[in-house]
């Protein structure tokens, strides 16, 4: 009879019991199931849209519109995914988008043309992210409170700049990007920017030291500190990244709407958090997925589009989104308790 071979003395390798997958394989299996589930939900929504409004929903122009609208909130969601993965939260993303969009569309800024609008959008986003990061990382403020204060301040400043009026963009280079002539192989430029941001975000989170530090800080900040990670500096960088994404999203929104308004980015924080959560990013930190977040954005954008085509009220949309968020959090808690 063959005797089982024992591991060498001093070895730390553990042989998993028969029928039990190693931890990393189990994690990958759960991630695959989650991704396939999201793809299934998205496919079901497409079928529903095709059944309820076949001529309108499946029209090429409408599908391009869905992707374009998803691009703006999608860029914000990429930044939000990093913040939530680190165990933080950013309630100010919508207000930052609004502030960046109105600051970049003032008459004085538009005098500098395309570059001036782009530079101002990104700079305002980074500035707001810097303030959030300093207050949270070095000021010791709770992320919820610090970003809530930024939400109120940015909204107020955006209203003061515009005086409640819409600022129309007159720069041809900006307006041209919103025309169909600017599409590349039928793909709107905004979608291409979203794709680039998504790829870069995925690479940073999954293939760099920065991404591993983000996950470590979210999983256990004290353990990360003892391992030599500068937790405060990492959190500062993360809120800078979130601000950068807001600045880029503001520029995309300017292209999409051809204007700047203090009401821009309304409820973006809800959509971004919801998309990240249903995508599989753990609300308590320590786990994040860019692919899941992008699928979450596409799901919410498709739901909004279907509701609009069927003339359903916006309040029903918000109720549906709230229910989805609650369901996603309950599923996360159930999954965490069984692992």
């Amino acid at each position: 009879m063959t005797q089982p071979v024992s591991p060498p003395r001093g070895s730390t390798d553990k042989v998993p019991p028969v029928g039990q997958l190693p931890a990393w394989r189990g994690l990958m299996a759960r991630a695959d199931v989650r991704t396939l589930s999201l793809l299934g939900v998205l496919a079901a929504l497409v079928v529903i849209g095709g059944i309820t409004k076949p001529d309108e929903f499946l029209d090429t122009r409408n599908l391009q519109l869905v992707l374009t609208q998803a691009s703006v909130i999608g860029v914000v969601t990429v930044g939000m995914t990093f913040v939530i993965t680190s165990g933080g939260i950013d309630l100010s993303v919508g207000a930052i988008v609004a502030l960046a969009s109105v600051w970049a569309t003032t008459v004085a800024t538009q005098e500098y043309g395309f570059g001036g609008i782009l530079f101002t959008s990104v700079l305002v986003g980074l500035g707001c992210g810097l303030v959030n990061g300093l207050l949270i990382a070095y000021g010791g403020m709770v992320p919820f409170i610090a970003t809530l204060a930024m939400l109120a301040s940015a909204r107020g400043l955006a209203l003061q700049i515009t005086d409640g009026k819409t600022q129309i963009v007159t720069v041809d280079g900006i307006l041209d990007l919103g025309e169909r002539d600017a599409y590349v192989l039928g793909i709107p430029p905004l979608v291409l920017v979203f794709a680039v941001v998504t790829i870069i975000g995925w690479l940073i989170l999954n293939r760099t030291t920065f991404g591993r530090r983000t996950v470590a800080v979210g999983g256990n900040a004290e353990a990360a500190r003892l391992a030599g990670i500068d937790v405060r500096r990492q959190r500062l960088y993360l809120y800078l990244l979130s601000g950068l994404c807001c600045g880029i999203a503001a520029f995309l929104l300017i292209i999409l709407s051809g204007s700047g308004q203090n009401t821009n980015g309304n409820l973006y924080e809800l959509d971004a958090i919801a998309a990240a959560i249903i995508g599989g990013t753990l609300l308590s930190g320590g786990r994040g997925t860019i692919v899941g977040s992008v699928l979450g954005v596409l799901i919410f954008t498709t739901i909004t589009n279907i509701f609009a085509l069927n003339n359903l009220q916006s309040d029903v949309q918000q109720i549906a989104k709230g229910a989805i968020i609650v369901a996603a959090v309950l599923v996360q808690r159930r999954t965490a308790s069984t692992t």
Side-chain angles (χ1 to χ4, degrees), residues 187-258:
I187 304 175
L190 275 67
V191 179
L192 295 176
V193 173
F194 176 37
V196 171
V197 171
T198 299
I199 293 172
I200 294 175
W202 185 89
L203 290 173
I204 292 176
L205 185 60
N206 296 280
R207 293 291 184 268
T208 66
T209 302
F210 183 88
R212 291 191 291 271
R213 288 175 178 173
T214 300
V215 174
V217 170
N220 190 321
E222 180 61 20
R225 185 187 66 81
L226 294 175
I229 297 175
D230 190 331
V231 174
R232 293 191 299 178
R233 185 173 61 187
Q234 184 71 15
R235 285 175 173 160
L236 174 62
Y237 289 163
L238 288 166
Y239 282 95
L240 277 172
L241 177 60
S242 179
L244 173 63
C245 288
C246 289
I248 296 174
F251 181 70
L252 297 182
L253 192 57
I254 291 171
I255 295 173
L256 181 62
S257 63

